[in-house]
């Protein structure tokens, strides 16, 4: 069977796309590896109606909503290959074909390898003050950003605390409630804001012939999309972090919805 649409990735953008495709009665397959970028976070900060909700609960509710739509299948898996036309290969060796694709695979958030950060990522170590600043407000906060953007990042964080220190050298360790700086001194620390770089999680878009934008300070290779969420390849749409728009669950939900609506337009008008 050829699907009307395959959605690759079932995070906020992919599930939102699947919902719109299902409500439009399109035969839709969502293939998801199940590793949304915010899975480490204590909660989703700043999403209307879901503020502070545990990400796992949010995705579970999204899946439950999708289950109401019989034309949508959600499958746990990883797409490892793709060819124009469109044919996708999964890690289990199976192949699926579709008339259109929505790419929603998110991005890798690359942060410096500082001991203690990985365990606290999405909690007291974070890249986005709008997501996590509220939870650490009025505590002593640190910003790790050796680039020219460090001073602006530190200024922004002052919206959440009067006690903000910019670090241009990597600290030795982040611990609960304190940080060990490069000079060996230990200081009280309620949160560490880290400048990150986002890059594609795989070469799938490139295999499909989809072009990326020029790198910018935050995004290495966000996909180029037009105002209809179409990529440089007709029939391939994209939504969420991988398009290089400022990352948030709200914008991923919105762009997934719009990309799916545009895919439905294209499918129906092509008949
Ligand atoms: C630690 C952290 C905390 C955050 N906290 C917040 C917050 O509080 N509030 C907020 O608004 N935003 C927050 N964000 C940002 C927000 O999580 C993202 O902007 C949003 O989740 C992006 O949604 P997405 O659907 O584009 O990608 P993702 O949520 O990353 O979902 C992509 C999905 O695609 C799957 N996938 C990838 N490649 C393949 C493949 N080849 N085949 C099949 N499946 C694949 C992945 O496993 C994943 O399940 C946070 C980000 C991080 C890293």
């Amino acid at each position: 069977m050829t699907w009307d649409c395959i959605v690759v990735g079932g995070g906020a953008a992919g599930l939102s796309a699947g919902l719109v495709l299902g409500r439009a009665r399109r035969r839709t397959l969502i293939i998801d590896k199940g590793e949304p970028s915010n899975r480490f976070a204590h909660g989703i900060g700043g999403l209307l109606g879901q503020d502070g909700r545990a990400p796992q609960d949010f995705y579970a509710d999204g899946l439950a909503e999708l289950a109401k739509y019989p034309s949508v299948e959600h499958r746990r898996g990883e797409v490892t290959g793709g060819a124009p036309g469109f044919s996708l290969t999964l890690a289990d060796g199976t192949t699926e074909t579709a008339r259109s694709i929505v790419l929603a695979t998110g991005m890798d958030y690359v942060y410096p390898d500082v001991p203690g950060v990985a365990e606290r990522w999405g909690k007291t170590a974070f890249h986005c003050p709008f997501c996590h600043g509220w939870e650490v407000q009025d505590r002593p906060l640190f910003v790790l950003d050796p680039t020219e953007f460090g001073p602006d990042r530190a200024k922004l964080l002052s919206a959440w605390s009067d006690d903000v220190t910019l670090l241009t050298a990597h600290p030795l360790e982040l611990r609960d409630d304190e940080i060990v700086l490069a000079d060996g001194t230990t200081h009280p620390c309620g949160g560490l804001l880290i400048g990150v770089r986002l890059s594609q999680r795989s070469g799938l878009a490139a295999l499909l012939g989809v072009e990326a934008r020029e790198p910018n300070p935050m995004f290495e290779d966000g996909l180029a999309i037009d105002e209809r969420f179409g990529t440089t390849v007709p029939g391939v749409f994209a939504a969420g972090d991988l398009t290089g728009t400022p990352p948030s669950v709200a914008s991923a939900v919105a762009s997934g919805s719009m990309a799916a609506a545009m895919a439905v337009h294209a499918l129906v008008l092509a008949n």
Side-chain angles (χ1 to χ4, degrees):
M1 179 183 86
T2 296
W3 299 91
D4 289 325
C5 187
I6 296 180
V7 180
V8 188
L15 292 179
S16 176
L19 182 61
V20 171
L21 284 153
R23 290 178 59 81
R25 308 189 306 171
R26 297 308 96 183
R27 286 166 304 173
T28 302
L29 175 63
I30 303 171
I31 305 171
D32 182 36
K33 198 175 164 195
E35 296 176 353
S37 55
N38 63 348
R39 64 192 181 280
F40 309 104
H42 55 78
I44 303 172
L47 180 62
L48 185 66
Q50 305 283 330
D51 185 36
R53 189 101 193 275
Q56 293 73 13
D57 295 345
F58 172 71
Y59 297 119
D61 278 359
L63 275 175
E65 283 179 352
L66 281 171
K68 291 188 295 197
Y69 296 96
S71 68
V72 180
E73 178 181 330
H74 177 270
R75 194 180 297 173
R76 184 67 79 224
E78 180 181 7
V79 178
T80 52
F86 301 97
S87 164
L88 298 182
T89 311
L90 281 73
D92 64 7
T94 56
T95 299
E96 297 286 348
T97 58
R99 295 171 61 207
S100 65
I101 304 280
V102 173
L103 291 173
T105 50
M107 290 291 240
D108 268 336
Y109 290 58
V110 182
Y111 54 82
D113 184 17
V114 173
V117 165
E119 303 91 290
R120 294 169 180 83
W121 184 232
K123 302 169 189 83
T124 55
F126 53 90
H127 72 286
C128 166
F130 297 95
C131 303
H132 307 290
W134 176 263
E135 283 71 27
V136 296
Q137 62 183 299
D138 293 330
R139 296 186 199 167
L141 303 180
F142 288 77
V143 176
L144 174 56
D145 188 345
T147 74
E148 64 194 283
F149 302 103
D152 278 354
R153 219 182 278 277
K155 186 96 190 282
L156 178 63
L157 196 59
S158 71
W160 286 270
S161 173
D162 292 335
D163 184 353
V164 175
T165 305
L166 174 62
L167 305 176
T168 51
H170 286 186
L172 296 180
E173 187 181 359
L174 180 67
R175 300 176 180 157
D176 289 340
D177 302 321
E178 58 184 26
I179 191 167
V180 186
L181 301 187
D183 63 6
T185 57
T186 300
H187 301 262
C189 174
L192 176 64
L193 173 64
I194 304 176
V196 290
R197 243 179 118 61
L198 276 68
S199 57
Q200 296 293 329
R201 285 182 161 141
S202 72
L204 177 60
L207 285 174
L208 292 167
V210 171
E211 289 171 18
R213 302 172 201 250
E214 290 297 312
N216 65 33
M218 186 167 193
F219 286 93
E220 182 63 37
D221 50 6
L223 299 187
I225 54 165
D226 60 23
E227 67 283 357
R228 298 175 71 83
F229 296 83
T231 67
T232 50
V233 175
V236 181
F237 300 81
D241 280 3
L242 89 167
T243 61
T245 46
S248 81
V249 176
S251 65
V253 168
S255 64
S257 170
M258 293 309 298
M262 295 303 145
V264 172
H265 268 273
L267 285 163
V268 174
L269 295 181
N271 278 337

